[in-house]
Amino acid sequence: MGALDEGHFDAELENGVRLGCLELGDEEGPDTLAIEDAVKVLLQGLGEDVNREGLKKTPLRVAKAFLEGTRGYRQYVKDIVQGALFPEAGLDKEIGHAGGAGGLVIVRDLNLFSYCESCLLPFQVKCHVGYVPSGQRVVGLSKLSRVSDVYAKRLQDPQRLADEIASALQNGIKPAGVAVVLQCLHIQYPASLASNHEDWVKIQVTSGSGAFKDEKAGIWGDFLSLLKSRGININKSCTRDSTGKSWCPSRSPSISPTCSSFGSMNPKMVTAVTSIIQLLGEDPSRKELVGTPSRFVKWLMNFQNTNLPMKLTGCTIHNVDSLSNGEVNGEMEQICSELNLPFCSQCEHHLLPFHGSVHIGYFCREGFSPSVKSLLQSIVHFYGSKLQVQERLTRQIAETVSSLLGGDVMVVVEAYHTCMISRGIEKFGSNTATIAVLGRFSTDSVARSKFLDSISEANGW
C-alpha cells in the first residue's frame, strides 16, 4: 500500500488546489499562447512546416489537449465532496442498525486517463473505488468518479494516483475506510509495433486507508470478490513493484536520458517541453520530472519528417510481373493478403499516439503466394513513422504497395486514437477503420467482400 499524506489532503480539502494559472477554456490567455509557441518549436525540430495545411492549428489543439489532460491542477476537491454528503441515520460510525458493520460501497470500471510524469504520454486507467460509510454519512456515487478524475488529470504515476484518490476520499468523506484499485495501460516506448493492448505495459496498483490500511484485512477479500463477480480479476500479490522501479518503459536503462542519443538532442525542443510542464502548473525540477522533457522529445523524434528512401533491403519480391491485372499465361489469379501488420504513429493534429493494424490485399497467380510480408511491414513502418492522419496513412500505403505489386490493392487500417480519450471526449475502446482501394478492387465488390471476410476470419469475428 502507498503511504498516505493525510495532512496534505486536509489542507487541500480546506483550501482547494490551484497549482496552475491556466483556466479551462482560456484559449487566448498568455500562458496558452506560450504553450503554442513551445509546440511550434517542437514541430520545427521535427523538420515540419508549421504553416502547412494540417499543422496550422496544431499548436492550439495541443495546448488545449494538455490543458484538458491536466485540468485536475485547477480543480477543487473540496467543492466536489462538500455538498454531496448525505445523512444516513442507520450508520453510527461504521455500525449499522442491526449492529453489523456498515455496508461496503463499490463503484467499478471507471474509465480514466492520465499523463505519465516520466514521458508525457497518456496512459489509460480502469479505476475501482470502494468505501465503508461511517458517522451517518454517505456520498453521492458520482463524486467517487469526479474525485478520481481530479487526480488522474495531472502528471501522474499509478501508485501515487491510487494513493491520492484514497487519501482525498478518506479526508473528504471521513468513512471507516477507502479502497482503490487501478489497472493501468501504457504504450510501449519508443514507438514500437504494438498493434493491440496485449503488447502494452500493464500494471495493477492498490491503495487503502482506515479499514483497508492492512492489506491482509478480510474486507479486502470482500472488495476483490465483488470485482471478480464482474470478471475483474486482481492478483493482490502482483499489484506493486517491490523494487520501486518506474513502470514507464521510457525509464528503462537502454533508453535512459544518459544515453548518447540524448546528447545530440535538440536543446530548444527540450527547453520547450520544460516550459510546457511549468506552464501547466508543475515544477520541472521535481525529481520525478527530471529527464521527462528529454524522454518526450526522444519519443517525438521517432516521427521526424524525412525524405530518406525506405529501407527495403533484404525484402525480395519474386515474379512481380505475375501480379499484374488479368490472367498470367492462362493461369487464374487469386486474392492474397497480409493481415494484422502492426503500426504506431503520431497524430499530427494533437501530437498524440495512435496505433493499430494494417491489412493489405492484392492479386497474385493462383497457387502462388509471394513472400512480401517483410516488404509490406517496412512500408507500413515507414509511413507510420511520421506525423500522420489515418486517412493519409491508408492512402500512402495503398499507393506504394500498388506501385510494387501491380496496381490492384486494397488496404484497411484499424486504429485506436489516444486523442479520442485524452481531450475530454473520452470514448474508450473506440476504433477507427479507413479503407483505400485501387485497381480491380475499386470495381469488383466480390473481391472486396472476400478480402474483408478474410480479416474477420483471421481475427475470429
Side-chain angles (χ1 to χ4, degrees):
M1 299 301 167
L4 305 180
D5 184 357
E6 297 184 359
H8 167 76
F9 290 98
D10 281 334
E12 179 171 311
L13 287 164
E14 289 297 323
N15 303 318
V17 172
R18 188 175 179 78
L19 300 180
C21 53
L22 292 169
E23 294 291 349
L24 297 180
D26 180 8
E27 296 183 7
E28 302 300 330
D31 292 323
T32 306
L33 294 174
I35 294 177
E36 291 184 55
D37 289 340
V39 174
K40 290 177 183 178
V41 172
L42 297 178
L43 293 173
Q44 291 166 346
L46 293 175
E48 291 284 357
D49 177 6
V50 296
N51 294 313
R52 77 166 170 85
E53 202 62 41
L55 287 182
K56 290 181 179 179
K57 293 185 177 180
T58 292
L60 176 59
R61 285 189 290 253
V62 173
K64 290 171 66 177
F66 270 127
L67 286 173
E68 172 64 27
T70 58
R71 68 170 185 256
Y73 288 124
R74 299 169 291 281
Q75 292 180 313
Y76 298 93
V77 172
K78 178 182 68 174
D79 293 341
I80 295 174
V81 175
Q82 292 186 359
L85 294 173
F86 304 100
E88 182 56 46
L91 291 171
D92 181 15
K93 295 184 178 179
E94 72 271 21
I95 305 302
H97 266 318
L104 175 61
V105 179
I106 295 180
V107 176
R108 298 170 287 206
D109 292 321
L110 298 174
N111 286 316
L112 307 174
F113 85 90
S114 192
Y115 278 100
C116 175
E117 66 183 9
S118 293
C119 64
L120 289 190
L121 295 180
F123 64 92
Q124 296 184 37
V125 181
K126 185 76 72 172
C127 176
H128 316 285
V129 182
Y131 79 103
V132 178
S134 176
Q136 300 187 355
R137 287 184 306 272
V138 294
V139 69
L141 295 179
S142 66
K143 306 314 180 212
L144 300 179
S145 175
R146 290 188 61 192
V147 169
S148 300
D149 192 60
V150 165
Y151 292 101
K153 294 301 189 293
R154 301 178 183 186
L155 305 186
Q156 279 290 9
D157 168 84
Q159 188 60 59
R160 183 191 306 113
L161 175 57
D163 291 344
E164 290 181 340
I165 293 171
S167 290
L169 292 174
Q170 181 68 39
N171 286 275
I173 306 172
K174 305 297 183 184
V178 175
V180 177
V181 171
L182 305 182
Q183 297 170 289
C184 303
L185 288 170
H186 193 307
I187 196 168
Q188 286 284 1
Y189 183 112
S192 69
L193 299 180
S195 61
N196 55 59
H197 287 163
E198 293 301 315
D199 299 314
W200 284 31
V201 177
K202 300 178 183 179
I203 191 174
Q204 297 175 348
V205 296
T206 64
S207 188
S209 62
F212 290 94
K213 194 166 186 178
D214 180 359
E215 61 183 24
K216 297 180 180 179
I219 196 168
W220 266 112
D222 299 339
F223 182 90
L224 297 177
S225 292
L226 286 170
L227 294 185
K228 189 175 182 180
S229 69
R230 296 281 295 178
I232 305 165
N233 292 305
I234 304 296
N235 186 346
K236 193 69 165 51
S237 64
C238 299
T239 52
R240 292 201 70 187
D241 181 0
S242 60
T243 65
K245 295 180 180 178
S246 171
W247 81 302
C248 176
S250 74
R251 297 179 70 96
S252 68
S254 61
I255 51 177
S256 69
T258 59
C259 290
S260 59
S261 58
F262 281 87
S264 59
M265 191 171 295
N266 186 328
K268 291 183 179 179
M269 296 177 71
V270 176
T271 299
V273 178
T274 302
S275 69
I276 290 174
I277 292 174
Q278 190 166 25
L279 288 163
L280 292 175
E282 264 289 3
D283 178 5
S285 66
R286 177 163 65 86
K287 65 177 183 178
E288 293 86 359
L289 292 173
V290 173
T292 295
S294 294
R295 285 186 285 267
F296 183 62
V297 172
K298 176 72 172 179
W299 167 270
L300 285 182
M301 294 306 288
N302 284 284
F303 309 99
Q304 195 172 2
N305 188 29
T306 175
N307 293 318
L308 293 175
M310 288 178 289
K311 297 180 179 180
L312 304 180
T313 57
C315 305
T316 304
I317 307 177
H318 300 288
N319 301 324
V320 173
D321 291 341
S322 69
L323 305 180
S324 59
N325 294 346
E327 297 183 3
V328 179
N329 298 325
E331 297 184 20
M332 297 298 294
E333 290 184 287
Q334 64 182 2
I335 297 175
C336 295
S337 62
E338 290 294 344
L339 307 177
N340 294 311
L341 299 173
F343 81 94
C344 183
S345 192
Q346 191 87 343
C347 172
E348 72 174 32
H349 291 163
H350 304 99
L351 295 189
L352 290 167
F354 67 100
H355 65 99
S357 299
V358 178
H359 316 288
I360 302 174
Y362 55 94
F363 284 91
C364 64
R365 191 171 71 246
E366 188 171 343
F368 173 78
S369 180
S371 177
V372 297
K373 183 173 183 178
S374 58
L375 168 71
L376 299 182
Q377 183 67 79
S378 295
I379 294 170
V380 168
H381 181 66
F382 175 79
Y383 286 114
S385 299
K386 298 175 179 291
L387 298 187
Q388 277 286 13
V389 294
Q390 186 174 333
E391 296 85 348
R392 184 194 307 138
L393 172 68
T394 308
R395 175 180 53 80
Q396 288 175 332
I397 293 172
E399 291 175 347
T400 301
V401 173
S402 174
S403 68
L404 295 172
L405 299 185
D408 303 315
V409 171
M410 183 169 179
V411 174
V412 174
V413 176
E414 299 179 290
Y416 296 92
H417 289 255
T418 310
C419 61
M420 288 293 287
I421 63 171
S422 60
R423 298 185 299 115
I425 302 172
E426 300 192 6
K427 298 297 182 182
F428 288 82
S430 62
N431 181 286
T432 301
T434 48
I435 299 177
V437 291
L438 298 174
R440 274 179 286 173
F441 281 104
S442 62
T443 58
D444 189 341
S445 61
V446 175
R448 292 197 303 273
S449 179
K450 184 176 181 180
F451 173 61
L452 293 173
D453 287 344
S454 71
I455 298 174
S456 299
E457 293 172 2
N459 290 283
W461 300 333

